[in-house]
C-alpha cells in the first residue's frame, strides 16, 4: 500500500493506492479547509466513483461549486460532491485499513452520467 499526500495551505490532495499484486485500486481525497470530496478508482483509466453529499439540496450540475487542487491545478467541483473533511479522512482511513470502499459514503458511478 502507498499513501501519497500533498498540502498547500488549506488545500490537500491525499491518495491511497493498494498496489498489492495486480491490484490497482486507489482512492483520492481532495480537501479545501473543512470540506472535501472523494474519488475511487478500480483500475488505472477507470472513470471511477465520486462522493455525493446526501444532504445537499441542489442538483449535481447546478452552478454551485467549491475549488479544490488536484495535480497542482485549482479546479471547481460541484457542491453536491462535497462532504465534511473529517468524513473524507475517515473514508480514506477505512479504505487503507479494510481495502474496501467505505459503505458510509454515498457514491456515484462516474461511468454513467
Amino acid at each position: 500500500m502507498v499513501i501519497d499526500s500533498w498540502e498547500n495551505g488549506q488545500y490537500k490532495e491525499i491518495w491511497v493506492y493498494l498496489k498489492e499484486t495486480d491490484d490497482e485500486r486507489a482512492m483520492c481525497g481532495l480537501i479545501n479547509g473543512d470540506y472535501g470530496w472523494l474519488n475511487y478508482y478500480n483500475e488505472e483509466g477507470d472513470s471511477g466513483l465520486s462522493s455525493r453529499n446526501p444532504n445537499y439540496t441542489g442538483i449535481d450540475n447546478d452552478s454551485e461549486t467549491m475549488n479544490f487542487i488536484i495535480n497542482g491545478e485549482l479546479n471547481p467541483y460541484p457542491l453536491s460532491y462535497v462532504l465534511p473533511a473529517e468524513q473524507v479522512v475517515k473514508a480514506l482511513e477505512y479504505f487503507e485499513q479494510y481495502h474496501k470502499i467505505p459503505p458510509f459514503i454515498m457514491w456515484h458511478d462516474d461511468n454513467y452520467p
Side-chain angles (χ1 to χ4, degrees):
M1 174 165 353
V2 177
I3 298 175
D4 187 17
S5 182
W6 172 90
E7 187 172 344
N8 183 1
Q10 70 192 36
Y11 297 103
K12 295 179 186 173
E13 180 179 351
I14 306 165
W15 285 88
V16 178
Y17 302 95
L18 293 186
K19 300 233 180 212
E20 297 168 351
T21 61
D22 292 333
D23 197 341
E24 296 181 357
R25 293 180 296 150
M27 185 172 291
C28 174
L30 300 178
I31 295 176
N32 175 350
D34 293 334
Y35 299 96
W37 70 284
L38 295 156
N39 269 331
Y40 167 81
Y41 303 98
N42 229 357
E43 60 189 22
E44 192 171 325
D46 179 24
S47 294
L49 306 175
S50 55
S51 60
R52 292 297 186 271
N53 184 338
N55 299 318
Y56 183 69
T57 57
I59 58 172
D60 261 0
N61 296 322
D62 62 18
S63 60
E64 299 295 318
T65 63
M66 179 178 278
N67 289 328
F68 294 90
I69 293 179
I70 187 165
N71 298 323
E73 294 185 23
L74 187 67
N75 293 295
Y77 290 94
L79 282 183
S80 60
Y81 293 24
V82 176
L83 303 166
E86 62 193 29
Q87 192 173 12
V88 170
V89 170
K90 180 180 172 186
L92 291 166
E93 290 170 347
Y94 181 94
F95 182 66
E96 177 187 10
Q97 182 175 358
Y98 298 106
H99 301 187
K100 297 177 183 177
I101 61 171
F104 51 86
I105 299 293
M106 177 188 270
W107 295 101
H108 176 265
D109 187 341
D110 293 332
N111 290 297
Y112 304 100

